[in-house]
Amino acid sequence: MASASTNDIEFRSVTKNYGAVTAVTDINLTVPKGAFLALLGPSGCGKTTCLRMIGGFEQPSAGSVLIDGREMNGVPAYRRPVNMVFQHYALFPHFNVEQNVAYGLKQMRPRIAAKEIDRRVAEALEMVRLGGFAKRRIHEMSGGQQQRVALARAIVNRPSVLLLDEPLAALDKKLRSAMQIELQTLQRDLGITFVLVTHDQEEALSMADVVCVMSAGRIRQLGSPQEVYDRPADLFVADFVGKTNRITASMEADGTTLRLADGSAIASGKKLESGNVIAALRPEAIHLTRKAAAGTSFKGTVTHRIFLGSSAEYAVSVPGLGDFLITADRRSMNESDLVEPGEEVFLGFDPAAIHVFPASNA
Ligand SMILES: Nc1ncnc2c1ncn2[C@@H]1O[C@H](COP(=O)(O)OP(=O)(O)OP(=O)(O)O)[C@@H](O)[C@H]1O
Ligand SMILES: [Mg+2]
């Protein structure tokens, strides 16, 4: 079939109300063909609502959703070239694993040969690492295994768009990491568009090539994982995607001198309007040392240490500025031993690593 558009999915000024509740407001979004998009945001921000409007399980109250350049308003779910893995995956309890995965293929017309169905079901089960589970009944599977059956059931139909609502939520950390790689490989191999919903920033950053950060029904930032992490559009994004130290400051009239709460000054890399601001600094952008190094640094006292194996997190209290969180990769630390709570330390950083936001944005 000739393709009508280079975009697989497009939202044009989409708003969705459920009675008096506005779930999403004025969403504008285009997803290129073959992209891996993550909708990332806190609980209740409207992620599932967006996914359900692509899938055809909800209709926009205003605006329109297009798939492959075609307006989808009024097109029922079963007529859309998409498959959805639901947040609460509904498997058929009276079928075994294999029958659950094969269900969609058996409904297809013209019919698919039984041998071909068997082959594709086996292939899909291998992809989600459930090769030996074909004959198991659903109630004999763990939550994480059921989640993978739901995934196999969606990919087996080879849709042109796959919608995934928190598909890895029930998995343990190790299996989740493995499945993140599997999903990414799967998406590349199949060459189809994936839209993944998650509230887990690590999941979004590690898998997607486009991340859409949402809050309270609106898009806050759309960009590559690196863009949203390195150049957050606002304080919400800076806080939600990764961790951030906030420093209360004011921008002087020259637009580049940041005056901090303790009276010290830093030259900001970016020219900004004068006034009250919040300076944001990532925990890993700070270098912890026992001796003062050249360049910009604060002096403080370690109050807590969280040992994480290959790295450690420190809470450091800096007089006049408050508490700082610092992530120190043990391999990159000059001093091999861990710093102890109670020790006096220096927090060095490159001023260019500071992001300055208007305080009204907080
Ligand atoms: N059927 C519904 N009727 C009324 N309000 C709804 C309905 N579905 C969702 N909402 C509301 O719309 C908003 C967005 O819900 P949505 O399910 O899209 O959030 P979400 O981002 O997927 O959250 P979570 O991460 O908790 O799954 C919420 O305030 C929710 O309470
Ligand atoms: Mg949801």
Side-chain angles (χ1 to χ4, degrees), residues 84-233:
M84 181 151 166
V85 178
F86 293 92
Q87 191 164 9
H88 305 286
Y89 36 93
L91 298 172
F92 301 116
H94 53 288
F95 283 173
N96 67 21
V97 167
E98 188 178 59
Q99 290 163 332
N100 263 281
V101 176
Y103 184 81
L105 293 180
K106 288 186 175 162
Q107 306 306 310
M108 283 194 185
R109 298 292 178 271
R111 280 180 188 281
I112 303 172
K115 265 212 164 109
E116 174 65 8
I117 291 180
D118 289 349
R119 194 190 63 74
R120 279 168 63 177
V121 168
E123 183 187 69
L125 287 175
E126 279 302 326
M127 281 179 177
V128 299
R129 303 183 172 203
L130 286 177
F133 290 79
K135 304 292 179 202
R136 280 273 192 106
R137 307 207 75 81
I138 292 304
H139 71 265
E140 295 165 349
M141 308 280 282
S142 75
Q145 290 166 339
Q146 290 185 26
Q147 202 161 36
R148 285 181 282 154
V149 177
L151 197 55
R153 192 175 59 172
I155 58 178
V156 81
N157 293 330
R158 300 189 186 153
S160 65
V161 178
L162 188 61
L163 308 173
L164 303 151
D165 199 348
E166 310 269 5
L168 310 179
L171 308 184
D172 65 66
K173 201 168 163 47
K174 205 154 191 170
L175 189 53
R176 200 178 331 145
S177 303
M179 286 300 295
Q180 283 173 9
I181 296 169
E182 298 282 321
L183 272 185
Q184 216 175 23
T185 310
L186 195 67
Q187 194 255 347
R188 285 191 191 141
D189 289 354
L190 298 174
I192 66 177
T193 307
F194 274 31
V195 183
L196 172 110
V197 159
T198 181
H199 57 259
D200 180 344
Q201 50 114 352
E202 190 194 304
E203 203 166 287
L205 296 182
S206 64
M207 283 194 282
D209 37 51
V210 188
V211 178
C212 175
V213 186
M214 296 178 66
S215 125
R218 290 180 188 271
I219 296 179
R220 301 296 284 250
Q221 188 170 6
L222 188 68
S224 71
Q226 211 180 331
E227 273 162 3
V228 297
Y229 191 83
D230 289 341
R231 292 193 293 283

